[in-house]
Amino acid sequence: MPKIDDKRPFIPVNIAILTMSDTRSLEEDTSGGLLARLAGEAGHEIADRKLVKDDVTAIRAQVQAWIDDPQTDVVITTGGTGFTGKDVTPEALRPLFEKEIEGFSVLFHQLSYEKVGTSTIQSRACAGVASGTYIFCVPGSPGACRDAWEGILKWQLDNRHRPCNFVEIMPRLEEHKL
């Protein structure tokens, strides 16, 4: 069974949070604010937090800047994962992924189904790794952000989580570049 190994010291990671919205300001961003609060309460550092319009170029540029910043370990985006014309987060970020984390989407939909039923099919939540940085794209609702954090990210971003977690393999993400 999965568990937290209290004998291991907690290792905080640096998390950047990006919200996509054409209608909200950073001050009104409840989803990004929730992710920042939950990550901070878990003991992680919030490296940065921004809001950009639903625009492929703007989204990709901001996330690429964080990928290029050695102080950013994880990027979590919220919003833009639906099907409307303005929902472009997966199109913006999938080209950056060196490897996609397919299980994130599968598990997110499984957790989401328990809360919203078949409506989960309207999300294109996805995740990947780029230059040693984890990128997680979650829907823009606070409920979806909470589900992603509490059901997946809280555990996988905790190096004490057993039997395995994302943090312990971070040093090996770029082995192919050696």
Side-chain angles (χ1 to χ4, degrees), residues 97-101 104 126-130 133-137:
F97 296 170
E98 293 165 2
K99 295 184 179 177
E100 191 154 356
I101 306 170
F104 176 80
C126 61
V129 178
T133 302
Y134 290 109
I135 303 163
F136 302 97
C137 306

Side-chain angles (χ1 to χ4, degrees), residues 49-67:
R49 182 172 164 225
K50 294 197 184 303
L51 185 141
V52 298
K53 300 282 185 202
D54 292 292
D55 174 77
V56 169
T57 303
I59 295 166
R60 191 175 295 159
Q62 181 55 65
V63 173
Q64 185 64 59
W66 284 330
I67 291 167

Side-chain angles (χ1 to χ4, degrees), residues 71-123:
Q71 297 304 309
T72 302
D73 302 311
V74 175
V75 174
I76 304 173
T77 73
T78 176
T81 63
F83 292 111
T84 71
K86 291 186 176 186
D87 291 324
V88 296
T89 300
E91 290 78 11
L93 299 181
R94 276 195 172 115
L96 300 178
F97 296 170
E98 293 165 2
K99 295 184 179 177
E100 191 154 356
I101 306 170
E102 292 93 349
F104 176 80
S105 179
V106 172
L107 185 53
F108 175 81
H109 285 294
Q110 182 180 9
L111 294 168
S112 182
Y113 182 79
E114 294 172 9
K115 306 271 178 74
V116 299
T118 60
S119 294
T120 189
I121 202 166
Q122 294 187 30
S123 164

Side-chain angles (χ1 to χ4, degrees), residues 161-172:
H161 184 261
R162 306 289 352 95
C164 58
N165 60 76
F166 287 140
V167 177
E168 66 189 357
I169 61 172
M170 287 173 99
R172 299 186 352 234

Side-chain angles (χ1 to χ4, degrees), residues 25-42:
S25 67
L26 198 59
E27 296 75 32
E28 301 166 324
D29 173 25
T30 55
S31 295
L34 175 65
L35 286 167
R37 182 175 59 77
L38 293 172
E41 287 173 357

